[in-house]
Amino acid sequence: MSYGLLAKEGYTQLAVKHGAKEWALDDTRTSEIAHRNGVENFWEHLETSVRSTHIQISAKRMPTHLAGFTFRSNHRQMGNEMLDGLPRAVR
């Protein structure tokens, strides 16, 4: 149900069917690839990032930390070049 709410924000969701022995999904219409490990991997890295730099994060500050982590995750292939695009991203 929570993922359905994301559609209103412009996000799409792909779902794999583990009961049908489907572990990954390649949507040829959108060139999106979905697999459960991607989501679990993202949250694990976020938790590790929080634990390594903070004792805890307040609920008030969590959206800011999550947005920053998401930006870095989405642009990780760019390496240090991602910093060049940062001013445009926060406008």
Side-chain angles (χ1 to χ4, degrees):
M1 187 164 133
S2 297
Y3 289 111
L5 299 173
L6 293 175
K8 295 177 184 175
E9 300 294 326
Y11 295 95
T12 58
Q13 177 206 6
L14 300 174
V16 296
K17 299 172 187 158
H18 294 142
K21 305 257 188 246
E22 180 180 79
W23 310 112
L25 175 65
D26 186 358
D27 187 344
T28 56
R29 294 171 295 140
T30 62
S31 299
E32 295 287 331
I33 298 174
H35 52 84
R36 181 175 164 213
N37 293 341
V39 173
E40 290 179 354
N41 189 35
F42 176 85
W43 289 118
E44 181 180 341
H45 281 135
L46 174 64
E47 290 175 10
T48 301
S49 172
V50 169
R51 274 188 255 126
S52 67
T53 57
H54 307 281
I55 295 172
Q56 67 180 19
I57 295 177
S58 69
K60 179 181 176 182
R61 301 282 184 223
M62 181 53 87
T64 303
H65 286 279
L66 182 56
F69 186 82
T70 302
F71 179 85
R72 289 188 305 275
S73 179
N74 288 340
H75 296 86
R76 65 188 174 276
Q77 301 300 333
M78 297 176 70
N80 288 337
E81 295 169 358
M82 86 171 77
L83 297 176
D84 296 337
L86 190 58
R88 289 186 303 276
V90 295
R91 289 184 188 167

Coordinates of all heavy atoms in Angstrom, one line a residue:
M1 N 0.8 -1.2 0.0 CA 0.0 0.0 0.0 C 0.9 1.3 0.0 O 0.6 2.2 -0.7 CB -0.9 0.0 1.2 CG -1.9 1.1 1.2 SD -3.2 0.7 2.4 CE -3.3 2.3 3.2
S2 N 2.0 1.2 0.8 CA 2.8 2.4 0.8 C 3.4 2.7 -0.5 O 3.6 3.9 -0.9 CB 4.0 2.2 1.8 OG 3.4 2.0 3.1
Y3 N 3.8 1.7 -1.3 CA 4.4 2.0 -2.6 C 3.4 2.6 -3.5 O 3.7 3.4 -4.4 CB 4.9 0.7 -3.2 CG 6.2 0.2 -2.5 CD1 6.2 -1.0 -1.7 CD2 7.4 0.9 -2.6 CE1 7.3 -1.4 -1.1 CE2 8.5 0.5 -1.9 CZ 8.5 -0.7 -1.2 OH 9.6 -1.1 -0.6
G4 N 2.1 2.3 -3.4 CA 1.1 2.9 -4.2 C 1.0 4.4 -4.0 O 0.7 5.1 -5.0
L5 N 1.3 4.9 -2.8 CA 1.3 6.3 -2.6 C 2.5 7.0 -3.3 O 2.3 8.2 -3.7 CB 1.5 6.6 -1.1 CG 0.4 6.0 -0.2 CD1 0.7 6.2 1.3 CD2 -0.9 6.7 -0.5
L6 N 3.5 6.3 -3.7 CA 4.6 6.9 -4.4 C 4.3 7.3 -5.8 O 4.9 8.2 -6.4 CB 5.8 6.0 -4.4 CG 6.5 5.8 -3.0 CD1 7.6 4.7 -3.1 CD2 7.0 7.1 -2.4
A7 N 3.3 6.6 -6.4 CA 2.9 6.9 -7.8 C 2.4 8.3 -7.9 O 2.6 9.0 -8.9 CB 1.8 5.9 -8.2
K8 N 1.7 8.8 -6.8 CA 1.3 10.2 -6.8 C 2.4 11.2 -6.8 O 2.2 12.4 -7.2 CB 0.4 10.5 -5.5 CG -0.9 9.7 -5.5 CD -1.6 9.9 -4.2 CE -2.8 9.0 -4.1 NZ -3.5 9.1 -2.8
E9 N 3.6 10.8 -6.4 CA 4.8 11.6 -6.4 C 5.6 11.5 -7.7 O 6.7 12.0 -7.8 CB 5.6 11.3 -5.2 CG 4.9 11.5 -3.9 CD 4.6 13.0 -3.6 OE1 5.4 13.9 -4.0 OE2 3.6 13.2 -3.0
G10 N 5.1 10.6 -8.6 CA 5.8 10.5 -9.9 C 6.8 9.3 -9.9 O 7.5 9.1 -10.9
Y11 N 6.8 8.4 -8.9 CA 7.6 7.3 -8.9 C 6.9 6.1 -9.5 O 5.6 6.0 -9.4 CB 8.1 6.9 -7.5 CG 8.9 8.0 -6.9 CD1 8.4 9.0 -6.1 CD2 10.3 8.0 -7.1 CE1 9.2 10.0 -5.5 CE2 11.1 9.0 -6.6 CZ 10.6 9.9 -5.8 OH 11.4 10.9 -5.2
T12 N 7.6 5.1 -10.0 CA 7.0 3.9 -10.5 C 7.5 2.7 -9.7 O 8.6 2.8 -9.1 CB 7.3 3.6 -12.0 OG1 8.7 3.6 -12.1 CG2 6.8 4.7 -12.9
Q13 N 6.7 1.7 -9.6 CA 7.1 0.5 -8.8 C 7.0 -0.7 -9.7 O 6.1 -0.9 -10.4 CB 6.2 0.3 -7.6 CG 6.6 -0.9 -6.8 CD 5.4 -1.5 -6.1 OE1 4.3 -1.0 -6.2 NE2 5.7 -2.5 -5.3
L14 N 8.1 -1.5 -9.7 CA 8.1 -2.8 -10.3 C 8.1 -3.8 -9.2 O 8.8 -3.6 -8.1 CB 9.3 -3.0 -11.2 CG 9.4 -2.0 -12.4 CD1 10.7 -2.2 -13.1 CD2 8.3 -2.1 -13.3
A15 N 7.5 -4.9 -9.3 CA 7.4 -5.9 -8.3 C 7.8 -7.3 -8.9 O 7.3 -7.7 -10.0 CB 6.0 -6.0 -7.6
V16 N 8.6 -8.0 -8.2 CA 8.9 -9.4 -8.6 C 8.0 -10.3 -7.8 O 7.5 -10.0 -6.7 CB 10.4 -9.7 -8.3 CG1 11.3 -8.9 -9.1 CG2 10.7 -9.6 -6.8
K17 N 7.8 -11.5 -8.4 CA 6.8 -12.5 -7.8 C 7.6 -13.7 -7.3 O 7.9 -14.6 -8.1 CB 5.8 -12.9 -8.8 CG 5.0 -11.7 -9.3 CD 4.1 -12.1 -10.4 CE 3.4 -10.9 -11.0 NZ 2.9 -11.1 -12.4
H18 N 8.0 -13.6 -6.0 CA 8.8 -14.7 -5.5 C 8.1 -16.1 -5.5 O 8.7 -17.1 -5.7 CB 9.3 -14.4 -4.1 CG 10.2 -13.3 -4.0 ND1 10.2 -12.3 -3.1 CD2 11.2 -12.9 -4.9 CE1 11.1 -11.4 -3.3 NE2 11.8 -11.7 -4.4
G19 N 6.8 -16.0 -5.3 CA 6.0 -17.3 -5.4 C 6.0 -17.9 -6.7 O 5.9 -19.2 -6.8
A20 N 6.3 -17.2 -7.8 CA 6.4 -17.7 -9.1 C 7.9 -17.9 -9.5 O 8.2 -18.1 -10.7 CB 5.8 -16.8 -10.1
K21 N 8.7 -17.9 -8.5 CA 10.2 -18.1 -8.6 C 10.8 -17.0 -9.5 O 11.7 -17.3 -10.3 CB 10.5 -19.5 -9.2 CG 9.9 -20.7 -8.4 CD 11.0 -21.3 -7.6 CE 10.4 -22.6 -7.0 NZ 10.4 -22.5 -5.6
E22 N 10.2 -15.8 -9.4 CA 10.8 -14.7 -10.2 C 11.6 -13.9 -9.2 O 11.1 -13.4 -8.2 CB 9.6 -13.9 -10.7 CG 10.0 -12.7 -11.5 CD 8.8 -11.9 -12.0 OE1 8.2 -11.2 -11.2 OE2 8.5 -12.1 -13.2
W23 N 12.8 -13.6 -9.5 CA 13.7 -12.9 -8.5 C 14.2 -11.6 -9.0 O 14.6 -10.8 -8.3 CB 14.9 -13.8 -8.2 CG 14.5 -15.2 -7.8 CD1 14.8 -16.3 -8.5 CD2 13.8 -15.6 -6.7 NE1 14.2 -17.4 -7.9 CE2 13.6 -17.0 -6.7 CE3 13.3 -14.9 -5.6 CZ2 13.0 -17.7 -5.8 CZ3 12.6 -15.7 -4.6 CH2 12.4 -17.0 -4.7
A24 N 14.0 -11.4 -10.3 CA 14.3 -10.1 -10.9 C 13.4 -9.8 -12.1 O 12.8 -10.7 -12.7 CB 15.8 -10.0 -11.4
L25 N 13.2 -8.5 -12.4 CA 12.3 -8.2 -13.5 C 12.9 -7.1 -14.3 O 13.5 -6.1 -13.8 CB 11.0 -7.6 -12.9 CG 9.9 -7.1 -13.8 CD1 9.4 -8.2 -14.7 CD2 8.8 -6.4 -13.0
D26 N 13.0 -7.3 -15.6 CA 13.5 -6.4 -16.6 C 12.3 -5.8 -17.4 O 11.8 -6.5 -18.2 CB 14.5 -7.0 -17.5 CG 15.3 -6.1 -18.4 OD1 14.9 -4.9 -18.4 OD2 16.1 -6.5 -19.1
D27 N 12.0 -4.6 -17.1 CA 10.9 -3.9 -17.8 C 11.4 -3.3 -19.1 O 12.0 -2.3 -19.1 CB 10.2 -2.9 -17.0 CG 8.9 -2.3 -17.6 OD1 8.7 -2.5 -18.8 OD2 8.2 -1.7 -16.8
T28 N 11.1 -4.0 -20.3 CA 11.7 -3.5 -21.5 C 11.0 -2.2 -22.0 O 11.6 -1.5 -22.8 CB 11.5 -4.6 -22.6 OG1 10.1 -4.9 -22.7 CG2 12.3 -5.8 -22.3
R29 N 9.8 -1.9 -21.5 CA 9.2 -0.6 -21.9 C 9.9 0.6 -21.3 O 10.1 1.6 -21.9 CB 7.7 -0.6 -21.4 CG 6.9 -1.6 -22.1 CD 5.5 -1.7 -21.4 NE 5.7 -2.2 -20.0 CZ 5.1 -1.7 -19.0 NH1 4.2 -0.8 -19.1 NH2 5.3 -2.2 -17.8
T30 N 10.4 0.5 -20.1 CA 11.1 1.6 -19.4 C 12.5 1.4 -19.2 O 13.2 2.3 -18.7 CB 10.4 1.8 -18.0 OG1 10.6 0.7 -17.2 CG2 8.9 2.1 -18.2
S31 N 13.1 0.3 -19.6 CA 14.5 -0.1 -19.3 C 14.8 -0.1 -17.9 O 16.0 0.1 -17.5 CB 15.4 0.9 -20.1 OG 15.2 0.8 -21.5
E32 N 13.8 -0.4 -17.0 CA 14.0 -0.5 -15.6 C 14.3 -1.9 -15.2 O 13.7 -2.8 -15.8 CB 12.8 0.1 -14.8 CG 12.6 1.5 -15.0 CD 13.6 2.4 -14.3 OE1 14.1 2.0 -13.2 OE2 13.8 3.5 -14.7
I33 N 15.1 -2.1 -14.2 CA 15.4 -3.5 -13.7 C 15.0 -3.4 -12.2 O 15.4 -2.5 -11.5 CB 16.8 -3.9 -13.9 CG1 17.2 -3.9 -15.4 CG2 17.1 -5.2 -13.2 CD1 18.6 -4.2 -15.7
A34 N 14.2 -4.4 -11.8 CA 13.8 -4.4 -10.4 C 14.2 -5.8 -9.8 O 14.1 -6.8 -10.4 CB 12.3 -4.3 -10.3
H35 N 14.7 -5.7 -8.6 CA 15.0 -6.9 -7.8 C 15.0 -6.5 -6.4 O 15.3 -5.3 -6.0 CB 16.3 -7.6 -8.2 CG 17.5 -6.7 -8.3 ND1 18.2 -6.4 -7.2 CD2 18.1 -6.1 -9.3 CE1 19.2 -5.7 -7.5 NE2 19.1 -5.4 -8.8
R36 N 14.7 -7.4 -5.5 CA 14.5 -7.1 -4.1 C 15.8 -6.6 -3.5 O 15.9 -5.8 -2.6 CB 14.0 -8.3 -3.4 CG 13.8 -8.2 -2.0 CD 13.2 -9.4 -1.4 NE 13.4 -9.4 0.0 CZ 13.5 -10.5 0.7 NH1 13.6 -11.7 0.2 NH2 13.6 -10.4 2.0
N37 N 16.9 -7.2 -4.0 CA 18.2 -6.8 -3.4 C 18.6 -5.4 -3.5 O 19.3 -4.8 -2.7 CB 19.3 -7.7 -4.0 CG 19.2 -9.1 -3.6 OD1 18.5 -9.5 -2.7 ND2 19.8 -10.0 -4.4
G38 N 18.1 -4.7 -4.6 CA 18.4 -3.3 -4.7 C 17.9 -2.4 -3.6 O 18.5 -1.6 -3.1
V39 N 16.6 -2.7 -3.2 CA 16.0 -1.9 -2.2 C 16.7 -2.2 -0.8 O 17.0 -1.3 0.0 CB 14.5 -2.2 -2.1 CG1 13.8 -1.6 -0.9 CG2 13.8 -1.7 -3.4
E40 N 16.9 -3.5 -0.6 CA 17.5 -3.9 0.7 C 18.9 -3.4 0.8 O 19.4 -2.9 1.8 CB 17.5 -5.4 0.8 CG 16.2 -6.0 1.0 CD 16.2 -7.5 1.1 OE1 17.2 -8.1 0.9 OE2 15.1 -8.1 1.4
N41 N 19.6 -3.4 -0.3 CA 21.0 -2.8 -0.4 C 21.0 -1.3 -0.1 O 21.8 -0.9 0.7 CB 21.6 -3.1 -1.8 CG 23.1 -2.8 -1.8 OD1 23.8 -3.0 -0.9 ND2 23.5 -2.3 -2.9
F42 N 20.1 -0.6 -0.6 CA 20.0 0.9 -0.4 C 19.8 1.1 1.1 O 20.5 1.9 1.7 CB 18.8 1.5 -1.2 CG 18.6 2.9 -0.9 CD1 19.4 3.9 -1.6 CD2 17.7 3.3 0.0 CE1 19.2 5.2 -1.3 CE2 17.5 4.7 0.3 CZ 18.3 5.6 -0.4
W43 N 18.8 0.4 1.7 CA 18.5 0.7 3.1 C 19.7 0.3 4.0 O 20.0 0.9 5.0 CB 17.2 0.0 3.6 CG 16.0 0.6 3.0 CD1 15.1 0.1 2.1 CD2 15.6 2.0 3.2 NE1 14.1 1.0 1.8 CE2 14.4 2.2 2.4 CE3 16.0 3.1 3.9 CZ2 13.7 3.4 2.3 CZ3 15.3 4.3 3.8 CH2 14.2 4.4 3.1
E44 N 20.3 -0.8 3.7 CA 21.5 -1.3 4.5 C 22.6 -0.2 4.4 O 23.2 0.1 5.4 CB 22.0 -2.6 4.0 CG 23.1 -3.1 4.8 CD 23.7 -4.5 4.3 OE1 22.9 -5.2 3.6 OE2 24.8 -4.8 4.6
H45 N 22.9 0.3 3.2 CA 23.9 1.3 3.1 C 23.5 2.6 3.9 O 24.4 3.3 4.5 CB 24.2 1.6 1.6 CG 25.1 0.6 1.0 ND1 24.8 0.1 -0.2 CD2 26.2 0.0 1.5 CE1 25.8 -0.8 -0.5 NE2 26.6 -0.9 0.5
L46 N 22.2 3.0 3.8 CA 21.8 4.2 4.6 C 22.0 3.9 6.1 O 22.5 4.8 6.7 CB 20.3 4.5 4.3 CG 19.7 5.6 5.1 CD1 20.4 6.9 4.8 CD2 18.2 5.7 4.9
E47 N 21.6 2.8 6.6 CA 21.8 2.5 8.0 C 23.2 2.5 8.4 O 23.6 3.1 9.4 CB 21.1 1.1 8.3 CG 19.6 1.1 8.3 CD 19.0 -0.2 8.5 OE1 19.8 -1.2 8.9 OE2 17.8 -0.4 8.3
T48 N 24.1 1.9 7.5 CA 25.5 1.9 7.8 C 26.1 3.4 7.8 O 26.9 3.7 8.7 CB 26.3 1.1 6.8 OG1 25.7 -0.3 6.8 CG2 27.7 1.0 7.1
S49 N 25.6 4.2 6.9 CA 26.0 5.5 6.8 C 25.7 6.3 8.0 O 26.4 7.1 8.6 CB 25.4 6.2 5.6 OG 25.7 7.6 5.5
V50 N 24.4 6.1 8.5 CA 24.0 6.8 9.7 C 24.8 6.4 10.9 O 25.2 7.2 11.7 CB 22.4 6.6 9.9 CG1 22.0 7.0 11.3 CG2 21.6 7.3 8.8
R51 N 24.9 5.0 11.1 CA 25.7 4.5 12.2 C 27.1 5.0 12.2 O 27.7 5.1 13.3 CB 25.6 3.0 12.3 CG 24.4 2.5 13.0 CD 24.4 1.0 13.2 NE 23.5 0.4 12.2 CZ 23.8 -0.5 11.3 NH1 25.0 -1.0 11.3 NH2 22.9 -0.9 10.4
S52 N 27.7 5.2 11.1 CA 29.1 5.5 11.0 C 29.4 7.0 11.3 O 30.5 7.4 11.6 CB 29.8 5.1 9.7 OG 29.2 5.8 8.6
T53 N 28.4 7.8 11.1 CA 28.6 9.3 11.3 C 27.8 9.9 12.4 O 28.1 11.0 12.8 CB 28.3 10.0 9.9 OG1 26.9 9.7 9.6 CG2 29.3 9.6 8.8
H54 N 26.7 9.2 12.8 CA 25.9 9.8 13.9 C 25.5 8.7 14.9 O 25.5 7.5 14.5 CB 24.6 10.3 13.2 CG 24.8 11.2 12.1 ND1 25.1 12.6 12.3 CD2 24.7 11.1 10.8 CE1 25.2 13.2 11.1 NE2 25.0 12.3 10.2
I55 N 25.2 9.1 16.1 CA 24.6 8.1 17.0 C 23.2 7.9 16.7 O 22.7 6.7 16.7 CB 24.8 8.7 18.5 CG1 26.3 8.8 18.8 CG2 24.0 7.8 19.5 CD1 26.5 9.5 20.1
Q56 N 22.5 8.9 16.4 CA 21.1 8.8 15.9 C 20.7 10.0 15.1 O 21.4 11.0 15.2 CB 20.1 8.6 17.1 CG 20.0 9.8 17.9 CD 19.0 9.6 19.1 OE1 18.7 8.5 19.4 NE2 18.5 10.7 19.7
I57 N 19.6 9.9 14.4 CA 19.1 11.1 13.6 C 17.7 11.3 14.0 O 16.9 10.3 14.1 CB 19.2 10.8 12.1 CG1 20.6 10.7 11.6 CG2 18.5 11.9 11.3 CD1 20.8 10.3 10.2
S58 N 17.3 12.5 14.3 CA 16.0 12.8 14.7 C 15.0 12.7 13.6 O 15.4 12.8 12.4 CB 15.9 14.2 15.3 OG 16.1 15.2 14.3
A59 N 13.8 12.5 13.9 CA 12.8 12.4 12.8 C 12.7 13.7 12.0 O 12.4 13.7 10.8 CB 11.4 12.1 13.4
K60 N 13.0 14.8 12.7 CA 12.9 16.1 12.0 C 14.0 16.2 10.9 O 13.8 16.8 9.9 CB 13.1 17.2 13.0 CG 13.2 18.6 12.5 CD 13.4 19.6 13.6 CE 13.5 21.0 13.0 NZ 13.7 22.0 14.1
R61 N 15.2 15.6 11.2 CA 16.3 15.7 10.3 C 16.4 14.6 9.3 O 17.2 14.6 8.3 CB 17.7 15.8 11.1 CG 17.7 16.9 12.0 CD 18.1 18.2 11.3 NE 18.2 19.3 12.2 CZ 17.7 20.5 12.0 NH1 17.1 20.7 11.0 NH2 17.9 21.4 12.9
M62 N 15.7 13.5 9.5 CA 15.7 12.3 8.6 C 15.5 12.6 7.2 O 16.2 12.2 6.3 CB 14.8 11.2 9.1 CG 14.9 10.0 8.2 SD 16.6 9.3 8.0 CE 16.7 8.3 9.4
P63 N 14.5 13.4 6.8 CA 14.3 13.7 5.4 C 15.5 14.4 4.7 O 15.8 14.0 3.6 CB 13.1 14.7 5.4 CG 12.3 14.4 6.6 CD 13.4 14.0 7.6
T64 N 16.2 15.2 5.4 CA 17.4 15.9 4.9 C 18.5 14.8 4.6 O 19.1 14.8 3.6 CB 17.9 17.0 5.8 OG1 16.8 17.9 6.0 CG2 19.1 17.7 5.2
H65 N 18.7 14.0 5.6 CA 19.7 12.9 5.5 C 19.4 12.0 4.4 O 20.2 11.5 3.6 CB 19.9 12.2 6.8 CG 20.7 13.0 7.8 ND1 22.0 13.1 7.8 CD2 20.2 13.7 8.9 CE1 22.4 13.9 8.8 NE2 21.3 14.3 9.5
L66 N 18.1 11.6 4.3 CA 17.7 10.6 3.3 C 17.8 11.3 1.9 O 18.3 10.6 1.0 CB 16.2 10.2 3.5 CG 15.6 9.2 2.6 CD1 16.5 8.0 2.5 CD2 14.2 8.9 3.0
A67 N 17.5 12.5 1.7 CA 17.6 13.2 0.4 C 19.1 13.3 0.0 O 19.4 13.0 -1.2 CB 17.0 14.6 0.5
G68 N 20.0 13.6 0.9 CA 21.4 13.6 0.6 C 21.9 12.3 0.2 O 22.7 12.1 -0.7
F69 N 21.5 11.3 1.0 CA 22.0 9.9 0.7 C 21.5 9.4 -0.6 O 22.2 8.8 -1.4 CB 21.6 8.9 1.8 CG 22.2 7.6 1.7 CD1 23.4 7.3 2.1 CD2 21.4 6.6 1.1 CE1 24.0 6.0 1.9 CE2 22.0 5.3 0.9 CZ 23.3 5.0 1.3
T70 N 20.2 9.7 -0.9 CA 19.6 9.3 -2.2 C 20.3 10.0 -3.3 O 20.6 9.3 -4.4 CB 18.1 9.7 -2.2 OG1 17.5 9.0 -1.1 CG2 17.4 9.3 -3.5
F71 N 20.6 11.3 -3.2 CA 21.4 12.0 -4.3 C 22.7 11.3 -4.5 O 23.1 11.0 -5.7 CB 21.6 13.4 -3.9 CG 22.3 14.2 -5.0 CD1 21.7 14.8 -6.0 CD2 23.7 14.4 -4.8 CE1 22.4 15.4 -7.0 CE2 24.4 15.1 -5.8 CZ 23.8 15.6 -6.9
R72 N 23.4 11.0 -3.5 CA 24.8 10.4 -3.6 C 24.6 9.0 -4.2 O 25.4 8.6 -5.1 CB 25.5 10.3 -2.3 CG 26.0 11.7 -1.8 CD 26.9 11.6 -0.6 NE 26.3 10.9 0.5 CZ 25.5 11.4 1.4 NH1 25.1 12.7 1.3 NH2 25.0 10.7 2.4
S73 N 23.6 8.3 -3.8 CA 23.4 6.9 -4.3 C 23.0 7.0 -5.8 O 23.5 6.2 -6.6 CB 22.3 6.2 -3.6 OG 22.0 4.9 -4.1
N74 N 22.2 7.9 -6.2 CA 21.7 8.0 -7.6 C 22.8 8.5 -8.5 O 22.8 8.3 -9.7 CB 20.5 8.9 -7.7 CG 19.3 8.3 -7.2 OD1 19.2 7.1 -7.0 ND2 18.3 9.1 -6.9
H75 N 23.8 9.2 -8.0 CA 24.9 9.8 -8.8 C 26.3 9.1 -8.5 O 27.3 9.7 -8.8 CB 25.0 11.3 -8.6 CG 23.7 12.0 -9.0 ND1 22.6 12.1 -8.3 CD2 23.4 12.5 -10.2 CE1 21.7 12.8 -8.9 NE2 22.2 13.0 -10.1
R76 N 26.3 8.0 -7.9 CA 27.5 7.3 -7.4 C 28.5 7.0 -8.5 O 29.7 7.0 -8.3 CB 27.2 6.1 -6.5 CG 26.6 5.0 -7.3 CD 26.1 3.9 -6.3 NE 25.4 2.9 -7.0 CZ 24.1 2.9 -7.2 NH1 23.4 3.9 -6.8 NH2 23.4 1.9 -7.8
Q77 N 28.0 6.8 -9.7 CA 28.8 6.4 -10.9 C 29.7 7.6 -11.3 O 30.7 7.5 -12.0 CB 28.0 5.9 -12.0 CG 27.2 4.7 -11.7 CD 28.0 3.5 -11.3 OE1 29.2 3.4 -11.6 NE2 27.4 2.6 -10.5
M78 N 29.2 8.8 -10.9 CA 29.9 10.0 -11.3 C 31.1 10.3 -10.5 O 32.0 11.1 -10.8 CB 29.0 11.2 -11.2 CG 27.8 11.1 -12.2 SD 26.7 12.5 -12.0 CE 27.6 13.9 -12.6
G79 N 31.2 9.7 -9.3 CA 32.4 10.0 -8.4 C 32.4 11.4 -7.9 O 31.3 12.0 -7.6
N80 N 33.5 12.0 -7.9 CA 33.6 13.4 -7.5 C 32.9 14.4 -8.4 O 32.6 15.5 -8.0 CB 35.1 13.8 -7.3 CG 35.7 13.1 -6.1 OD1 35.1 12.7 -5.2 ND2 37.1 13.0 -6.2
E81 N 32.7 14.0 -9.6 CA 32.0 14.9 -10.6 C 30.5 15.2 -10.1 O 29.9 16.2 -10.6 CB 32.0 14.3 -12.0 CG 33.4 14.2 -12.5 CD 33.4 13.3 -13.8 OE1 32.3 12.8 -14.2 OE2 34.5 13.2 -14.4
M82 N 30.0 14.3 -9.3 CA 28.6 14.6 -8.8 C 28.5 15.9 -8.1 O 27.4 16.5 -8.0 CB 28.1 13.4 -7.9 CG 28.4 13.6 -6.4 SD 27.6 12.4 -5.4 CE 28.6 10.9 -5.7
L83 N 29.6 16.4 -7.5 CA 29.6 17.6 -6.8 C 29.3 18.8 -7.7 O 28.8 19.8 -7.3 CB 30.9 17.8 -6.0 CG 31.1 16.8 -4.9 CD1 32.5 17.0 -4.2 CD2 30.0 16.8 -3.8
D84 N 29.7 18.7 -9.0 CA 29.4 19.7 -9.9 C 28.0 20.0 -10.1 O 27.5 21.1 -10.4 CB 30.1 19.4 -11.3 CG 31.6 19.4 -11.2 OD1 32.2 20.0 -10.3 OD2 32.2 18.7 -12.1
G85 N 27.2 18.9 -10.1 CA 25.7 19.0 -10.3 C 25.0 19.3 -9.0 O 23.7 19.6 -9.1
L86 N 25.6 19.3 -7.9 CA 24.9 19.6 -6.6 C 24.2 20.9 -6.6 O 23.0 20.9 -6.2 CB 25.9 19.4 -5.5 CG 25.3 19.4 -4.1 CD1 24.2 18.3 -4.0 CD2 26.4 19.2 -3.0
P87 N 24.8 22.0 -7.0 CA 24.0 23.3 -6.9 C 22.7 23.3 -7.7 O 21.7 23.8 -7.3 CB 25.0 24.3 -7.4 CG 26.4 23.7 -7.2 CD 26.2 22.2 -7.4
R88 N 22.8 22.6 -8.9 CA 21.5 22.6 -9.7 C 20.5 21.7 -9.0 O 19.3 21.9 -9.1 CB 21.9 22.0 -11.1 CG 22.6 23.0 -11.9 CD 22.8 22.5 -13.3 NE 23.5 21.2 -13.4 CZ 24.8 21.0 -13.4 NH1 25.6 22.1 -13.3 NH2 25.3 19.8 -13.5
A89 N 20.9 20.6 -8.3 CA 20.0 19.7 -7.7 C 19.3 20.3 -6.5 O 18.2 19.9 -6.2 CB 20.8 18.4 -7.3
V90 N 19.9 21.2 -5.8 CA 19.2 21.7 -4.6 C 18.4 23.0 -4.8 O 17.8 23.5 -3.9 CB 20.3 22.0 -3.5 CG1 20.9 20.7 -3.0 CG2 21.3 23.0 -3.9
R91 N 18.3 23.4 -6.1 CA 17.5 24.6 -6.4 C 16.1 24.3 -6.4 O 15.5 23.4 -6.5 CB 17.9 25.2 -7.7 CG 19.2 25.9 -7.7 CD 19.6 26.5 -9.0 NE 20.9 26.9 -8.9 CZ 21.6 27.3 -10.0 NH1 21.1 27.3 -11.2 NH2 22.8 27.7 -9.9

